[in-house]
């Protein structure tokens, strides 16, 4: 006789009964599901009786169906018609002119025009992974600041935008000419590595993706600090990590800007991550004293209900109309004038082989001299940070 008073044969019999009951429940659920998929007029008397006897299960299945439909609608992209979008942009332009302290929050949607995929769009990284499809990699050395990036820089020059809080790691805000002090890159910058042993932390801006060898909880880049010799680390914040660096994360400036903001403009962000940071939304203030919120996104965001205005349009389209309304010229991006080249720290002798990433080049002559057309040595990593580090972040996100 085993512990609990049941013999081995009795335990086996009880297990068979339990499995049989579970299978009967699953079959009952499948039956009810098949019936619910039929139109009411097509159901037989027997099927109607079964639904009536399964009231709790019917309620549960109908609730699941509503939730699935709701999620599907939230993933759909909606575009305002041209006249409606222009009317909304006029309202946004008035808000920008009258704002005393305007902060811009940016997400992956502002970089899609640079051929960098977003996350939750129809062809976004997470959307494709959820469908079991492969995610194509992207070489970020080919990406340049978009019309939206350049527009934000001009708005800051004109003192119409006071600060930018970005979730993007692509470094395009800095490369557009936006001052480092005017931006908080909450998830890091793929072109920056730091020495945390130095006080203050020593930054190294590079002209290549520094994350080739890094991953979750493994941030050392393989290069050493020129001052103290300690190992350098990247600045990327992966899922499950917290950003603790000063720059480029610059959390202190982000929270300070949010506390002073009377207007927040969200561009190309689903806000599903940013909503988790209450300090960015002044949630300790009464609703009447919180900043007015303007959102530009093709999809639903969790902040839509609290927004003063939601514009359903592509970021570049909205910003082109906005700059026209404000009478401001959008500066053209010039690779030759890209600030990253003046900010960058050259590699020391012997460090040239410490990476295999394609470097940014000012012009065609520099590109040819760097051997980009016929690279030697190790092959470039798959798509830089987006192809490697981001893919790891995505896969971990799916199981968290």
């Amino acid at each position: 006789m085993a512990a609990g008073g049941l013999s081995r044969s009795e335990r086996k019999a009880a297990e068979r009964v339990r499995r049989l009951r579970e299978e009967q429940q699953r079959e009952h659920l499948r039956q009810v599901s098949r019936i619910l998929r039929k139109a009411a007029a097509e159901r037989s008397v027997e099927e109607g009786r079964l639904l009536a006897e399964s009231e709790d299960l019917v309620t549960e299945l109908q609730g699941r169906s509503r939730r699935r439909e709701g999620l599907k609608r939230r993933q759909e992209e909606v575009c305002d018609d041209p006249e409606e979008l222009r009317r909304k942009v006029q309202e946004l332009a008035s808000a920008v002119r009258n704002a005393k302290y305007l902060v811009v929050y940016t997400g992956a949607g502002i970089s899609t025009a640079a051929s960098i995929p977003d996350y939750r769009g129809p062809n976004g990284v997470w959307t494709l992974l959820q469908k079991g499809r492969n995610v194509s990699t992207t070489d970020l050395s080919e990406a340049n600041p978009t019309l939206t990036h350049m527009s934000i820089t001009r708005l800051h020059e004109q003192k119409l935008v006071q600060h930018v809080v970005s979730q993007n790691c692509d470094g395009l805000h800095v490369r557009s000419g936006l001052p480092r002090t005017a931006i908080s890159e909450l998830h890091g910058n793929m072109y920056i590595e730091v020495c945390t042993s130095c006080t203050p932390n020593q930054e190294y801006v590079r002209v290549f993706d520094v994350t080739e060898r890094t991953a979750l909880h493994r941030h050392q880049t393989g290069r050493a600090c020129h001052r103290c010799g300690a190992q350098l680390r990247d600045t990327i914040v992966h899922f499950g990590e917290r950003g603790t660096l000063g720059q480029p994360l610059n959390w202190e400036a982000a929270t300070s800007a949010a506390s002073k903001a009377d207007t927040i403009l969200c561009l190309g962000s689903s806000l599903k991550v940013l909503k988790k940071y209450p300090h960015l939304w002044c949630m300790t203030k009464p609703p009447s004293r919180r900043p007015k919120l303007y959102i530009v996104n093709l999809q639903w965001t969790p902040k839509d209900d609290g927004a003063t205005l939601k514009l359903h349009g592509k970021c570049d389209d909205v910003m082109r109309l906005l700059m026209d309304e404000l009478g401001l010229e959008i500066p053209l991006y010039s690779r030759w004038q890209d600030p990253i080249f003046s900010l960058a720290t050259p590699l020391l002798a012997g460090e040239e082989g410490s990476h295999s990433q394609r470097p940014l080049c000012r012009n065609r002559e520099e590109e040819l001299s760097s051997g980009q057309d016929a690279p030697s040595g190790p092959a470039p990593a798959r798509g830089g940070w987006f192809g490697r580090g981001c893919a790891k972040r995505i896969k971990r996100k799916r199981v968290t």
Side-chain angles (χ1 to χ4, degrees):
M1 185 72 67
L6 294 176
S7 67
R8 182 179 180 185
S9 61
E10 287 172 329
R11 290 201 309 274
K12 283 187 174 182
E15 178 65 15
R16 284 195 297 271
V17 170
R18 183 187 67 79
R19 290 182 179 179
L20 178 61
R21 186 182 302 113
E22 287 181 350
E23 180 56 36
Q24 288 172 340
Q25 290 172 344
R26 284 193 290 269
E27 178 57 31
H28 185 210
L29 185 145
R30 286 192 288 266
Q31 276 186 301
V32 173
S33 296
R34 284 195 296 268
I35 296 170
L36 287 175
R37 285 196 290 271
K38 293 183 178 181
E42 298 175 356
R43 296 170 189 164
S44 68
V45 175
E46 180 62 24
E47 289 173 337
R49 183 187 62 78
L50 181 59
L51 292 183
E53 292 173 352
S54 311
E55 185 176 348
D56 290 344
L57 182 56
V58 168
T59 300
E60 179 184 346
L61 290 173
Q62 288 175 336
R64 290 183 192 178
S65 178
R66 285 193 296 270
R67 288 191 291 273
R68 282 195 300 271
E69 287 300 315
L71 289 173
K72 185 177 179 181
R73 285 195 298 273
R74 288 180 177 185
Q75 292 174 348
E76 292 175 351
E77 291 191 343
V78 178
C79 295
D80 291 327
D81 67 67
E83 285 304 313
E84 176 69 2
L85 186 62
R86 184 172 293 278
R87 182 195 65 77
K88 288 183 176 180
V89 169
Q90 290 172 347
E91 184 176 342
L92 175 60
S94 177
V96 170
R97 290 191 196 96
N98 296 324
K100 295 178 181 177
Y101 201 99
L102 172 60
V103 181
V104 176
Y105 294 172
T106 64
I110 75 166
S111 296
T112 54
S115 298
I116 300 175
D118 60 10
Y119 294 92
R120 293 181 171 87
N123 296 309
V125 176
W126 291 341
T127 305
L128 295 179
L129 285 174
Q130 286 171 351
K131 294 179 178 179
R133 293 162 61 183
N134 292 330
V135 178
S136 60
T137 56
T138 301
D139 185 350
L140 295 188
S141 68
E142 299 295 329
N144 291 326
T146 66
L147 181 147
T148 296
H149 289 95
M150 302 308 295
S151 297
I152 293 171
T153 297
R154 176 53 54 86
L155 290 172
H156 180 265
E157 290 173 355
Q158 297 295 313
K159 303 189 185 306
L160 293 171
V161 167
Q162 277 65 48
H163 198 77
V164 175
V165 178
S166 179
Q167 298 170 258
N168 300 337
C169 306
D170 53 31
L172 294 181
H173 276 303
V174 172
R175 292 180 54 202
S176 73
L178 193 66
R180 294 286 307 283
T181 54
I183 181 173
S184 297
E185 295 175 286
L186 302 186
H187 294 160
N189 185 316
M190 57 175 276
Y191 294 109
I192 299 177
E193 53 189 346
V194 297
C195 174
T196 55
S197 296
C198 287
T199 305
N201 292 168
Q202 177 69 19
E203 280 190 4
Y204 295 83
V205 179
R206 306 297 192 183
V207 294
F208 56 87
D209 179 359
V210 304
T211 68
E212 180 178 3
R213 303 177 182 180
T214 67
L216 179 69
H217 303 313
R218 194 170 71 246
H219 292 276
Q220 291 187 347
T221 63
R223 284 171 291 278
C225 177
H226 298 178
R227 289 185 177 181
C228 71
Q231 284 289 306
L232 298 180
R233 56 155 291 169
D234 71 10
T235 61
I236 304 301
V237 180
H238 295 265
F239 291 114
E241 296 180 333
R242 297 177 67 88
T244 57
L245 299 173
Q247 287 276 27
L249 307 178
N250 205 1
W251 263 107
E252 184 177 346
T255 54
S256 174
S259 69
K260 293 183 284 188
D262 65 335
T263 306
I264 293 174
L265 172 59
C266 299
L267 294 169
S269 171
S270 70
L271 302 181
K272 291 183 179 180
V273 174
L274 286 185
K275 74 170 184 178
K276 299 178 182 178
Y277 303 129
H279 293 302
L280 296 181
W281 308 101
C282 305
M283 298 306 290
T284 56
K285 295 181 180 180
S288 61
R289 293 183 55 199
R290 293 173 194 165
K292 292 181 179 179
L293 178 59
Y294 295 81
I295 300 174
V296 179
N297 204 304
L298 293 169
Q299 294 177 309
W300 171 90
T301 82
K303 289 291 184 179
D304 285 356
D305 290 343
T308 301
L309 183 66
K310 171 71 178 292
L311 297 87
H312 296 95
K314 293 182 178 180
C315 293
D316 277 8
D317 293 342
V318 171
M319 293 305 292
R320 185 181 290 105
L321 291 171
L322 175 64
M323 298 298 279
D324 186 55
E325 285 290 330
L326 295 172
L328 295 176
E329 183 179 354
I330 303 170
L332 295 176
Y333 168 74
S334 165
R335 179 65 72 95
W336 179 255
Q337 296 176 323
D338 194 316
I340 198 168
F341 296 108
S342 59
L343 294 170
T345 302
L347 294 173
L348 295 179
E351 289 185 323
E352 294 85 356
S354 65
H355 75 96
S356 62
Q357 297 296 286
R358 178 178 297 187
L360 295 170
C361 296
R362 274 195 173 98
N363 54 30
R364 182 63 176 167
E365 290 73 20
E366 188 175 342
E367 182 177 313
L368 290 172
S369 67
S370 72
Q372 284 191 24
D373 284 351
S376 58
R382 293 178 56 210
W385 182 85
F386 191 86
R388 184 176 182 277
C390 186
K392 291 183 178 180
R393 294 175 70 195
I394 301 303
K395 291 176 182 176
R396 289 190 178 92
K397 178 66 174 175
R398 294 176 68 194
V399 297
T400 56

